[in-house]
Amino acid sequence: AGRVISPPRRAVTPMSASAAAARDDVVARACREKLLDAVAAVAATTAAPTRCIILSGGVDTAAIMRASADLGVTYACAITVLCGPDAPDRAFAAAVAAEHGLAHHVVEVTPADLIAEYLPSCVESLRTFDGMTLRNALVVAAALRRAAALGMKDAVVGDGADELLGGYSFTWGEDDPPGTWRRKRDEMCATWTFATAALAAARGVSSRAPFTSDAFARWATAETDRADCVGVVPIRLTLEGDAIEHVAGKLPLRRAFDTVASWRRKDPIEVGSGVAVVSNDAFWSEVVADDAFEEERDAWAARGVVIKNKEHLVNFRAYVKAFGGGGGGGGDGGGEDDVLRHPTKKWLGPGEGCAGCRFEIGDATFCDVCGAYPAQRVVVAGGE
């Protein structure tokens, strides 16, 4: 139950239906071959007794498990982190683990405990106070700690598939002119970084991401375009739920491996695990009072730092505690304590650098320190 075996093909295509179907099959077969090769390469450089998979039960990790099964690659265990009984990952991860006979370690934790236990170390490891980055990192850090406690040396993860194959909704680009989707995808992948490696290293574990292998990434960027990756298909919100027609990405991967999650909706880690609740100000009502938030937000706004909400403020406090600076004077008096710090970036003058935090950013459109997007300042006649 819960599977769609033969989804409809592309919603919009200049090809005939038969030509589109043939193209889809070619791309799916190539995707399958490349992932099998990438998983085999991971297996060749790791040992089964100390190899685990961080299992969300999403399209990516379910495909990795199917590829592993086809190759005879085994894992000591799977690890899933869940915040609450309604976390979307719960049923999917359990189904994948059961299908493959995995020893399944489920880390049950509250969002508050995740923050208390992992926020300081995630901020320090990733050098950021961006909410989205840290929400996802909290979950990964908890999984990696369990992996280390179990004696695992290598953790296989699903990083890279969303970036390469149009998994994120913001990459679907329905209105982009021809060629733009591919150019944006390739630019993103040329500069991609993943938090997992730093989080794993901090816990004595190595992360292994088959989708980021050179061969898989080269194939995806050279051989796939939007029409191959994005389309309208039946998507399931829950394991046993009805399918609804919806735009989705990663179609080559969905078609390449028949799994319980092949036609699951794309849920970011924060949503699938259930930790996304921390992005709501109501979650912080007993931690950060409204007047305190407004006072700090306004004080930092005067210094060119945008604090978006209470979660962002808590993250920012942890960032200042980790790296120092940002003293309490409320101005840019030039004193040592007035300057925000970062291990590799400079905090520039008022009106310079990132529009959200003033750290140097170069030509980047996203700031990996504060999470601002677009992070470039817009210059108009007469000033900013």
Side-chain angles (χ1 to χ4, degrees):
R3 298 190 191 184
V4 177
I5 302 301
S6 299
R9 302 294 180 169
R10 307 159 189 237
V12 178
T13 174
M15 302 180 188
S16 68
S18 60
R23 168 66 182 173
D24 290 341
D25 287 340
V26 167
V27 175
R29 288 176 184 276
C31 182
R32 175 181 173 80
E33 177 186 339
K34 295 301 180 183
L35 184 57
L36 287 169
D37 288 347
V39 170
V42 170
T45 56
T46 58
T50 55
R51 180 173 62 233
C52 68
I53 183 167
I54 307 303
L55 184 67
S56 68
V59 175
D60 312 338
T61 53
I64 289 172
M65 281 310 309
R66 172 57 61 198
S68 298
D70 291 350
L71 292 165
V73 174
T74 60
Y75 297 82
C77 63
I79 301 170
T80 304
V81 176
L82 300 171
C83 297
D86 298 325
D89 284 353
R90 184 178 295 277
F92 284 102
V96 175
E99 180 179 6
H100 295 285
L102 288 166
H104 192 198
H105 297 266
V106 179
V107 181
E108 302 275 5
V109 63
T110 68
D113 287 343
L114 267 185
I115 291 161
E117 187 68 28
Y118 298 103
L119 182 63
S121 63
C122 287
V123 167
E124 187 168 3
S125 293
L126 304 181
R127 304 169 178 184
T128 186
F129 54 98
D130 171 42
M132 182 178 69
T133 298
L134 289 169
R135 286 192 295 276
N136 292 331
L138 294 171
V139 175
V140 175
L144 289 167
R145 173 179 282 188
R146 177 60 62 88
L150 291 168
M152 299 296 106
K153 297 186 181 302
D154 298 283
V156 174
V157 297
D159 291 351
D162 287 305
E163 289 79 2
L164 287 164
L165 300 174
Y168 297 121
S169 59
F170 70 82
T171 70
W172 292 343
E174 295 181 32
D175 298 325
D176 284 345
T180 301
W181 183 90
R182 188 169 189 165
R183 177 181 58 77
K184 288 180 177 178
R185 185 271 307 273
D186 293 354
E187 288 174 353
M188 175 170 60
C189 293
T191 59
W192 63 11
T193 58
F194 296 97
T196 315
L199 296 172
R203 289 156 183 84
V205 179
S206 295
S207 65
R208 305 287 182 151
F211 294 110
T212 67
S213 69
D214 288 344
F216 191 95
R218 279 198 305 268
W219 165 77
T221 53
E223 301 297 337
T224 68
D225 209 330
R226 182 185 185 278
D228 300 312
C229 297
V230 181
V232 177
V233 292
I235 291 296
R236 297 188 186 280
L237 306 185
T238 62
L239 181 63
E240 302 294 342
D242 293 333
I244 59 172
E245 294 285 314
H246 201 277
V247 180
K250 295 188 289 195
L251 298 189
L253 185 61
R254 295 177 186 273
R255 292 171 177 141
F257 296 92
D258 177 25
T259 77
V260 296
S262 292
W263 304 101
R264 181 186 173 182
R265 176 184 66 181
K266 162 62 185 175
D267 285 329
I269 295 172
E270 60 180 290
V271 174
S273 66
V275 78
V277 64
V278 306
S279 64
N280 301 322
D281 272 3
F283 175 84
W284 301 97
S285 60
E286 296 183 7
V287 178
V288 181
D290 291 346
D291 55 352
F293 167 70
E294 292 168 3
E295 181 180 352
E296 288 190 61
R297 178 197 63 193
D298 294 346
W300 281 105
R303 302 179 67 184
V305 178
V306 178
I307 303 296
K308 302 172 187 176
N309 53 28
K310 290 182 178 180
E311 177 200 27
H312 207 210
L313 176 60
V314 171
N315 293 345
F316 180 69
R317 289 172 175 173
Y319 180 91
V320 171
K321 185 174 182 179
F323 297 107
D332 288 309
E336 187 69 16
D337 286 342
D338 282 328
V339 178
L340 286 179
R341 299 191 184 116
H342 185 279
T344 62
K345 298 176 184 283
K346 293 180 180 178
W347 198 47
L348 303 180
E352 298 181 273
C354 169
C357 66
R358 286 175 45 187
F359 277 107
E360 59 184 345
I361 193 173
D363 296 328
T365 57
F366 172 78
C367 178
D368 58 13
V369 178
C370 72
Y373 180 85
Q376 295 294 330
R377 297 177 183 271
V378 178
V379 179
V380 299
E384 294 191 1

